[in-house]
Amino acid sequence: MSPKTTVSVTLNLSFIKTQISSAPRYSLKNNFSDSVSLSQSHSHKLSSAFPIDLSEIKKRMSQVAVEAPPKGGFSFDLCRRNGMLSKKGVPPPSYRKTGTTIVGLIFQDGVILGADTRATEGPIVCDKNCEKIHYMAPNIYCCGAGTAADTEAVTDMVSSQLQLHRYHTGRESRVVTALTLLKSHLFKYQGHVQAALVLGGVDANGPHLHTIYPHGSTDTLPFATMGSGSLAAMSVFESKYREGLTKEEGIKLVCEAICSGIFNDLGSGSNVDVCVITKGQKEYLRNHQLPNPRTYVSSKGFSFPRKTEVLLTRITPLKEMVEVIEGGDTMEE
Amino acid sequence: MSIFEYNGSALIAMVGKNCFAIASDRRLGVQLQTIATDFQRIYKVHDRLFLGLSGLATDAQTLYQRLVFRHKLYQLREERDMKPETFASLVSAILYEKRFGPYFCQPVIAGLGDEDKPFICTMDSIGAKELAKDFVVAGTASESLYGACESMFRPDMEPEDLFETISQALLSSVDRDCLSGWGGHVYVVTPTEVKERILKGRMD
């Protein structure tokens, strides 16, 4: 079973303009559209000699579209149904966001990245200890703010592309490579992939720190903050940052900035994650500071008497692994 | 009214000592009318992996059928069952593929991984994974469920204690939600057996 690949193909024939589907014109990285237009241009040469009618071409193209295997990327089959639902007054769902405070700064030996650990779904905290500092390459890490699924998917995808590139070139990845891959993906989707990223790493050209906005624009900065808590964190950086910080001073400043986001911004909270990247080495300090411990735990806890009313119980024993005894002679003769 | 509130649902998964429990309510409704009181929300993917799907029931069934298909293909190719972490990545990828026209479903995945270590995970409707070490919740009653689980949960509970805790958390939360309830369905899975129990709850 393959989900129907919706491809919007405009043929390069002067008198025939055919479209397979009326899905919105998102740019899909799909080799399929090239091969179809090529085969159709061949049939155009034939058609001048043997006229083929429009319905024949449409039928052939729809057959080809159904048989094509899905080549990755997004699939838009449910868009029409969801559009119909929202027209009937059913609002689209809200997605899990990482409200967030993410920061990065360049110190004398490299780059330090920091993030809080709260994930929200509307006003509710759904994850009190999520990871917002994503691995891209052994020498490059990326913090993500915005829709959680988008930041995770986009950083995973570019991380795989960087690994393939490393195999291809045999060299350590450069931060600008990751930057270009991320910004071109985000620009292609015109801001609909809502990922705001702080990318930092150390490569052959030294330490680099960049911010990437959801529409695909980037900035290269010595210190950067993103997310709903960015103003709180930026105020700390603007007053206390200077060039040539040592590692301890840098970590302390990053923690202060994240804590100011945690305590002053409602979309950020819980703990502080820090990642220090220097030439040839990285330190990922997960939960480096825990400024919000749970202090109200009751020592008694809850213990329920066995009184839950049960209507039906079904016990299924799980299959035991069968042991094969070696050296049994019965089959050997 | 949100699309997730069309059918109504409540799902919890909790981790215990070398075991896990996954529980759901049993109501299927069409907005405010109840049309079934024995609706199955928790599906078995294989002996040690269970999947609960909350949200729009039609999308839940379609998604379940696609996932079972992919898992059976995996079993044929790899000649073994899928690990829970791998299955969670598969569900996340299938949901993210529909990023701009999503399935209106929130899955809860619970399984026993290597060395019988329990694994639970939930996602939003576009596949943002949330791995938790204690409990995960989903559904229309999720806000009450968060509160109930936060106070009733203790780490390292034995299977019988885990069953009592998850049942009490589920029943008390769905009592405060009009769209879910009508009993409960609890699976407690240990390395040696699966205990499936149907709870008696308020039928309103």
Side-chain angles (χ1 to χ4, degrees):
Chain A
M1 169 200 70
S2 59
K4 184 172 133 211
T5 319
T6 51
V7 174
S8 167
V9 171
T10 350
L11 295 183
N12 211 355
L13 303 172
S14 52
F15 55 91
I16 298 176
K17 265 197 151 62
T18 321
Q19 274 190 308
I20 292 181
S21 80
S22 56
R25 296 194 67 136
Y26 290 95
S27 137
L28 294 177
K29 218 179 197 159
N30 202 332
N31 298 330
F32 169 65
S33 59
D34 297 333
S35 60
V36 167
S37 54
L38 193 63
S39 67
Q40 290 305 321
S41 68
H42 278 303
S43 81
H44 168 57
K45 287 192 185 119
L46 277 176
S47 78
S48 50
F50 305 97
I52 302 172
D53 64 356
L54 189 59
S55 57
E56 183 63 48
I57 292 180
K58 268 190 182 153
K59 194 171 88 172
R60 246 187 255 149
M61 277 174 61
S62 62
Q63 280 170 350
V64 175
V66 163
E67 285 157 18
K71 288 240 171 125
F74 292 120
S75 140
F76 297 97
D77 350 342
L78 295 178
C79 282
R80 195 178 277 174
R81 173 198 79 158
N82 294 0
M84 180 271 293
L85 280 171
S86 62
K87 255 191 224 135
K88 290 211 169 157
V90 177
S94 69
Y95 304 130
R96 183 165 301 148
K97 293 195 173 289
T98 54
T100 301
T101 309
I102 47 175
V103 305
L105 64 73
I106 294 188
F107 71 109
Q108 66 188 24
D109 301 324
V111 171
I112 305 180
L113 299 172
D116 73 306
T117 60
R118 175 182 280 183
T120 54
E121 207 165 317
I124 306 287
V125 175
C126 55
D127 194 348
K128 292 187 281 187
N129 205 357
C130 69
E131 278 187 34
K132 297 185 192 178
I133 305 186
H134 307 283
Y135 167 87
M136 299 284 267
N139 57 327
I140 307 174
Y141 273 74
C142 183
C143 307
T147 303
D150 287 332
T151 57
E152 277 176 30
V154 105
T155 49
D156 273 348
M157 182 189 80
V158 172
S159 170
S160 319
Q161 288 177 347
L162 285 176
Q163 177 73 61
L164 285 171
H165 192 249
R166 278 201 293 283
Y167 284 136
H168 207 68
T169 57
R171 291 184 171 81
E172 187 188 56
S173 297
R174 299 197 179 187
V175 183
V176 286
T177 317
L179 179 73
T180 311
L181 289 167
L182 285 165
K183 76 194 287 190
S184 46
H185 179 83
L186 292 175
F187 180 73
K188 208 164 61 166
Y189 289 97
Q190 288 292 296
H192 289 281
V193 174
Q194 279 153 14
L197 308 165
V198 169
L199 176 72
V202 178
D203 58 20
N205 291 339
H208 298 270
L209 180 69
H210 303 280
T211 52
I212 307 165
Y213 290 82
H215 285 263
S217 62
T218 58
D219 285 319
T220 306
L221 299 160
F223 57 94
T225 65
M226 292 284 261
S228 56
S230 61
L231 277 80
M234 188 52 98
S235 63
V236 173
F237 274 171
E238 285 287 4
S239 42
K240 295 190 178 165
Y241 179 81
R242 56 185 169 74
E243 296 212 350
L245 288 165
T246 63
K247 182 171 144 186
E248 287 69 30
E249 287 171 345
I251 293 180
K252 186 161 159 294
L253 184 57
V254 161
C255 288
E256 260 188 70
I258 300 284
C259 283
S260 82
I262 286 175
F263 293 121
N264 296 303
D265 174 43
L266 300 178
S268 317
S270 299
N271 316 314
V272 181
D273 282 351
V274 176
C275 184
V276 184
I277 309 171
T278 50
K279 184 131 187 86
Q281 200 205 350
K282 61 161 195 287
E283 257 181 85
Y284 184 48
L285 305 165
R286 169 89 171 128
N287 289 357
H288 178 67
Q289 271 188 7
L290 291 99
N292 294 301
R294 193 174 162 182
T295 50
Y296 53 86
V297 187
S298 142
S299 53
K300 284 185 300 182
F302 279 84
S303 63
F304 298 101
R306 307 263 185 266
K307 291 225 183 94
T308 311
E309 292 184 60
V310 175
L311 294 172
L312 162 72
T313 308
R314 196 180 300 145
I315 303 179
T316 317
L318 293 180
K319 284 190 288 252
E320 287 167 11
M321 300 296 287
V322 177
E323 271 188 42
V324 177
I325 304 165
E326 300 282 82
D329 335 335
T330 43
M331 296 286 282
E332 274 178 16
E333 264 104 32
Chain B
M1 148 166 317
S2 155
I3 191 63
F4 287 109
E5 290 164 14
Y6 188 76
N7 291 126
S9 52
L11 274 173
I12 321 181
M14 265 195 199
V15 163
K17 199 177 173 67
N18 286 340
C19 62
F20 67 85
I22 182 167
S24 77
D25 72 319
R26 305 188 79 208
R27 176 184 180 267
L28 175 69
V30 169
Q31 293 184 318
L32 294 177
Q33 185 187 34
T34 306
I35 52 177
T37 58
D38 57 358
F39 187 65
Q40 191 194 13
R41 283 203 170 84
I42 300 178
Y43 302 99
K44 185 178 91 153
V45 177
H46 63 77
D47 280 338
R48 291 151 63 99
L49 177 57
F50 283 77
L51 168 72
L53 288 164
S54 72
L56 194 62
T58 168
D59 278 352
Q61 288 181 337
T62 305
L63 190 61
Y64 164 66
Q65 286 164 5
R66 284 188 71 183
L67 290 167
V68 149
F69 166 73
R70 295 295 296 266
H71 181 252
K72 283 186 177 170
L73 263 183
Y74 184 94
Q75 273 179 326
L76 287 171
R77 289 187 181 135
E78 302 257 334
E79 293 175 10
R80 63 180 177 89
D81 290 329
M82 231 190 225
K83 285 192 209 156
E85 294 84 2
T86 317
F87 188 72
S89 295
L90 172 68
V91 179
S92 177
I94 285 183
L95 289 173
Y96 192 71
E97 192 188 15
K98 304 250 185 281
R99 162 67 172 92
F100 298 115
Y103 286 118
F104 297 122
C105 258
Q106 277 170 325
V108 166
I109 297 160
L112 283 176
D114 290 334
E115 284 137 41
D116 299 337
K117 190 161 175 297
F119 169 88
I120 52 173
C121 157
T122 184
M123 282 167 222
D124 70 350
S125 56
I126 47 174
K129 263 188 289 196
E130 182 207 322
L131 310 162
K133 299 209 170 57
D134 40 16
F135 58 86
V136 292
V137 302
T140 49
S142 61
E143 295 179 20
S144 315
L145 284 165
Y146 275 123
C149 290
E150 192 74 54
S151 48
M152 295 183 192
F153 178 80
R154 275 176 295 127
D156 288 332
M157 281 188 276
E158 294 296 325
E160 287 307 316
D161 280 331
L162 185 64
F163 165 70
E164 294 291 328
T165 308
I166 200 176
S167 312
Q168 291 296 323
L170 179 72
L171 291 173
S172 49
S173 306
V174 303
D175 284 351
R176 283 286 185 177
D177 178 30
C178 312
L179 297 166
S180 46
W182 268 266
H185 205 144
V186 185
Y187 289 80
V188 180
V189 180
T190 58
T192 48
E193 63 176 13
V194 172
K195 253 197 203 157
E196 179 193 338
R197 278 180 270 227
I198 298 187
L199 306 174
K200 178 169 174 220
R202 283 174 63 142
M203 306 300 265
D204 62 355

